[in-house]
Amino acid sequence: MLDLIFITVFLSFPEFVLDLMIGLSLCNIKVSLKKILLVAFIQAFVAFFVWKIHIPFGLHNIIQKLICWIIVIIILEIKFYKAIVPVLIGYFLDSIIQGIFISSAGLFIELDFNRLGVEFGYTLIYSLCIFIILSIILLIVKKTNFHFCDLSAEGEFIGEQK
Amino acid sequence: MESKNRYIILTTMLVQVCLLLIIDFTIINTNSLDLLKKSIPAFNAVIFITTILMLASLKKADYFIKKETELELLKSNMKNTEDLLNLLRTQRHDYLGHIQAIESLVILNEYQELAEYIKGIGKEYRITNEMIRLGNPILTAIINTKKEIAEKKGISFHVKCKNKVSLHGINSWELSSVISNLIENAIEEAAKSEDEKWIKINISYTHHIFTFNIENTGKIDEHVLGHIFEPGISTKSATGRGYGLYIVKNIVEKYNGTVEYEITENGTVKFKVVLPSEEESYGKKAV
């Protein structure tokens, strides 16, 4: 088993940062990078303990996202019914990309999902690819200023694109 | 609460998708089929719950689409009223100027000049004098504004109303929606007519019941006949159209009234709205 601390610091933490940045950007919520880093850091810390106590796969995702929601409410000071949206959008995009990546990469190489988190090289390449794709998405979202919905204090209308 | 509902819809949909993704990853990650089989009841429960949530979300979304259409109509009606008020304000300002001019001509004993001046004013304000008054401010505003719009499009606009329209129990914005929608449709259809272009509105009152007959020289497309009061049915292809008559029907029925249409012998289209004038006659929904 790979070192959990290594995974948390070098793989999960950047992924959480990107998830949050994409989720918040798509909801037109502007937050300082410091706060996002703090939320991602706490979330990575929580993820570390969730993995440590061996919660069944699937359930750990739900627990992590619930905790992330609470952290976002507290640190980013967003109303509870608004805070859930960027968290879920971030997770949704991340999962979709991972799902597409696994299925499409599986066409070219022998890909075994269970080897993730076990073999160092395997995990690193996988995480790096996901990191690059998420970064490109973030860049596109920022450049085009596209909003899936406007949850800023001024905007109340869902489905609006500015 | 209205805006929170939007978040509930959005969150529900996102939760559903995320749950399905979690299930997806759990399947990918599992090593044995036994575990997967044991998980089937849980998956079924999740699918069942998410389906119910999805249906509830769709119902809510549909409700908001209707509300948004209603809001657009109200905005348009408010604009009509505002336009009429602006017209009256402008004319009041003009009147003051004319009174001052008349006063000066009287002081100067220029009676010949005064007579010509008054004749000129009379011509200019003939249209204002022809303003239709129906005893109901919102109806007066709508009908006069629509009359102006129709006449600009070359459509003759005739109104016949013998009684004051007093429908106090009906919300003014709902009454406005009903009449406005019907007249707007009449204008659009009459404008398409190649021969005569006219709209006739007849408002009558008998036995505590108001009847509004709105007739025009337009046509109703055959493919919408029989479905005209259903949501989303329109002769126009534009998105978001086709809710006007659906809203009219809903409002009228809310007040225990009826709305129907007929194609007359002359080929004109006539919409008939019947509304009780007394609050006691209204349905429970209206209270």
Side-chain angles (χ1 to χ4, degrees), chain B:
Chain B
M1 193 61 203
E2 287 282 301
S3 74
K4 273 186 190 171
N5 276 334
R6 291 168 184 268
Y7 296 110
I8 292 168
I9 295 168
L10 188 60
T11 310
T12 311
M13 288 180 167
L14 284 169
V15 166
Q16 288 167 55
V17 175
C18 290
L19 276 174
L20 287 171
L21 283 168
I22 289 169
I23 295 169
D24 195 15
F25 276 94
T26 312
I27 294 168
I28 293 172
N29 195 47
T30 191
N31 285 321
S32 75
L33 212 60
D34 292 339
L35 186 72
L36 204 61
K37 278 180 183 170
K38 279 179 194 167
S39 314
I40 285 174
F43 291 159
N44 284 343
V46 170
I47 290 165
F48 176 72
I49 294 164
T50 50
T51 309
I52 288 174
L53 286 173
M54 185 70 96
L55 288 172
S57 302
L58 282 172
K59 208 177 166 193
K60 280 271 176 196
D62 190 38
Y63 170 78
F64 282 118
I65 290 168
K66 280 175 210 160
K67 281 280 159 198
E68 216 164 285
T69 320
E70 269 186 64
L71 189 71
E72 284 303 317
L73 279 168
L74 282 178
K75 271 187 196 168
S76 133
N77 293 334
M78 289 289 281
K79 201 186 166 297
N80 287 339
T81 316
E82 205 179 307
D83 286 348
L84 192 75
L85 278 172
N86 282 338
L87 180 76
L88 292 173
R89 269 196 209 113
T90 317
Q91 285 179 349
R92 184 182 171 272
H93 181 79
D94 280 357
Y95 279 144
L96 289 173
H98 290 316
I99 287 168
Q100 281 167 354
I102 290 166
E103 195 180 16
S104 307
L105 289 170
V106 170
I107 292 167
L108 295 169
N109 292 330
E110 298 281 356
Y111 296 114
Q112 184 62 34
E113 194 84 4
L114 179 64
E116 276 172 30
Y117 190 86
I118 290 171
K119 207 174 162 186
I121 295 171
K123 263 186 192 170
E124 195 183 327
Y125 290 103
R126 191 171 50 86
I127 297 165
T128 317
N129 292 336
E130 282 172 4
M131 184 173 275
I132 304 152
R133 289 163 216 278
L134 301 163
N136 181 307
I138 198 79
L139 267 184
T140 304
I142 290 164
I143 291 198
N144 283 290
T145 321
K146 300 294 176 201
K147 183 175 181 264
E148 208 180 310
I149 294 168
E151 281 171 353
K152 271 182 193 167
K153 290 186 178 181
I155 303 164
S156 310
F157 199 97
H158 311 278
V159 181
K160 196 173 164 188
C161 178
K162 285 180 183 169
N163 305 82
K164 265 189 171 184
V165 183
S166 52
L167 288 158
H168 300 299
I170 298 179
N171 292 327
S172 57
W173 60 90
E174 287 181 316
L175 181 64
S176 157
S177 269
V178 171
I179 303 302
S180 203
N181 263 310
L182 291 172
I183 300 177
E184 270 169 26
N185 284 353
I187 292 174
E188 273 186 51
E189 293 309 316
K192 286 181 200 166
S193 175
E194 285 168 5
D195 307 320
E196 277 185 297
K197 292 180 186 183
W198 52 255
I199 294 170
K200 283 178 187 170
I201 298 174
N202 190 347
I203 305 170
S204 57
Y205 178 74
T206 41
H207 306 296
H208 308 293
I209 284 171
F210 275 102
T211 308
F212 298 81
N213 282 306
I214 298 165
E215 191 180 347
N216 71 82
T217 48
K219 300 264 181 297
I220 298 179
D221 282 359
E222 275 181 27
H223 74 277
V224 297
L225 276 174
H227 309 280
I228 208 156
F229 294 111
E230 287 172 19
I233 298 292
S234 172
T235 53
K236 300 89 172 173
S237 54
T239 318
R241 299 295 301 253
Y243 285 92
L245 290 174
Y246 173 71
I247 292 167
V248 168
K249 191 171 185 279
N250 277 349
I251 297 172
V252 170
E253 284 178 354
K254 182 176 161 186
Y255 291 99
N256 273 354
T258 57
V259 56
E260 52 195 49
Y261 70 94
E262 66 166 306
I263 296 164
T264 63
E265 286 173 359
N266 305 326
T268 58
V269 180
K270 191 197 261 185
F271 276 86
K272 183 181 176 187
V273 175
V274 176
L275 278 169
S277 68
E278 288 176 357
E279 267 182 71
E280 296 82 51
S281 319
Y282 300 150
K284 277 181 188 171
K285 281 192 279 180
V287 182

